[in-house]
Amino acid sequence: SLGGLVEVSSAISLDEWFVHLKWLEDHFGDSSQEYLKDLKTCAFRLRKSKQYRNDEKYVQIWLKYATLVANPEDVFEYMQG
């Protein structure tokens, strides 16, 4: 796990986030609180980075996040906005 990830998350690249999230999912499952927290943090911290807007990994992160929240429609509306 990347220690202090949330505090320095704006400096972490999408590839680093992707590896970290995959590690969390493999070791704790996608229902762990840490996984969901970091998934959300990644999605929202990188949302203004135009370089990731159409990146397959970034879209996968948003899709995964949408499957884990109570109202996935809200996530898709936000993504379109």
Side-chain angles (χ1 to χ4, degrees), residues 47 53 58 62-63 72-81:
R47 74 184 182 276
R53 199 165 279 167
Y58 188 56
W62 275 105
L63 292 174
E73 305 86 26
D74 294 341
V75 173
F76 293 119
E77 285 178 24
Y78 181 82
M79 287 175 69
Q80 290 179 330

Side-chain angles (χ1 to χ4, degrees), residues 60-71:
Q60 286 177 15
I61 288 167
W62 275 105
L63 292 174
K64 185 65 173 183
Y65 179 64
T67 66
L68 298 174
V69 297
N71 297 314

